[in-house]
Amino acid sequence: MTNWDYALIIYVSLALLTFIPTLWAVMKKVKLNPDGDGYDKSPFFDEKQKERLKQHYSRIAGTLGYWKNHAEKYRRFKNYSIVWSIAISIVIPVISQEIGEGNSNWFLTVISTNAALLLAFHKGCKVDQYYQAFRTAESEFFDLRRELLDNPSKFGATPNEQIDEFFLQVSRFRRMARQAEIDNAASINSINKNSA
């Protein structure tokens, strides 16, 4: 065994070990964070209106979990790709000076192949676009919900108008996330323009 063999074993081991958080995100469901005082304690809505809001939340909770899971999966793979792409781009010029000694060619081939695969998957799977779409949809829903609970007058004159407007805006986020799912990543701005 040469130093290049040891370097290759260490590199492959580190690459696999640091991929575990991404693999974990793919296999495990991420739980939604508790949302503080919700509809029950709102002073702006009566019991019937609160029930409408709670039912709406129960119907969208699964979707919110799906968005959060996908956002976390893409975030972790994005971070993994960035860290390893930077590390490889620094290591390759240094290693290229030592080519020809021992198994240096194999080491260079493995790390170059890894970099190429990371780039291909990152671009081909549109990691940045999907992460942004799912994270934005999830975040915008909770921002919108907080806005409804804190300042409902922004949504309309009466509580029922406010709730209807809230539901309408939530459906826009759902369309945006759905477009991302079918490989047509959209932005919140484009959806707002299309629905205006």
Side-chain angles (χ1 to χ4, degrees):
M1 293 266 293
T2 67
N3 288 339
W4 290 110
D5 295 322
Y6 290 120
L8 186 58
I9 290 167
I10 291 168
Y11 174 80
V12 170
S13 299
L14 283 174
L16 291 174
L17 282 172
T18 55
F19 188 70
I20 289 173
T22 302
L23 193 59
W24 188 253
V26 170
M27 295 169 51
K28 185 184 178 210
K29 279 192 167 187
V30 179
K31 292 184 180 178
L32 293 174
N33 295 326
D35 59 353
D37 288 341
Y39 301 125
D40 284 337
K41 296 190 178 180
S42 173
F44 302 107
F45 302 109
D46 65 26
E47 290 307 313
K48 255 184 157 176
Q49 293 156 348
K50 289 177 186 177
E51 186 59 30
R52 277 184 74 195
L53 291 166
K54 286 190 283 187
Q55 285 182 11
H56 177 264
Y57 186 79
S58 72
R59 285 189 291 272
I60 199 171
T63 302
L64 292 168
Y66 179 84
W67 291 345
K68 188 173 184 77
N69 282 329
H70 276 65
E72 185 62 13
K73 174 176 67 176
Y74 286 113
R75 182 188 71 81
R76 288 190 188 186
F77 184 71
K78 176 183 174 181
N79 291 343
Y80 177 83
S81 298
I82 289 169
V83 167
W84 278 106
S85 296
I86 291 170
I88 291 168
S89 66
I90 292 168
V91 168
I92 285 180
V94 174
I95 294 206
S96 64
Q97 302 299 316
E98 305 295 328
I99 293 300
E101 294 181 13
N103 287 331
S104 58
N105 288 333
W106 277 110
F107 186 77
L108 186 60
T109 300
V110 168
I111 65 171
S112 299
T113 302
N114 189 24
L117 287 171
L118 286 174
L119 181 63
F121 277 105
H122 193 270
K123 292 294 180 191
C125 295
K126 299 181 181 179
V127 171
D128 287 331
Q129 291 173 335
Y130 288 150
Y131 168 66
Q132 182 180 3
F134 288 119
R135 181 66 185 100
T136 300
E138 179 210 356
S139 181
E140 290 289 342
F141 172 81
F142 285 109
D143 287 346
L144 195 67
R145 185 172 185 262
R146 278 188 288 274
E147 190 72 30
L148 176 71
L149 291 170
D150 294 340
N151 194 3
S153 61
K154 287 188 173 182
F155 292 84
T158 68
N160 285 326
E161 285 176 12
Q162 294 160 0
I163 292 171
D164 290 341
E165 179 61 24
F166 171 72
F167 290 168
L168 180 64
Q169 290 187 36
V170 169
S171 71
R172 291 178 187 151
F173 301 137
R174 292 188 76 161
R175 280 198 303 276
M176 184 268 308
R178 192 175 305 120
Q179 286 177 341
E181 287 177 60
I182 59 172
D183 201 22
N184 185 13
S187 69
I188 293 292
N189 291 337
S190 69
I191 288 187
N192 287 338
K193 286 176 189 171
N194 291 339
S195 60

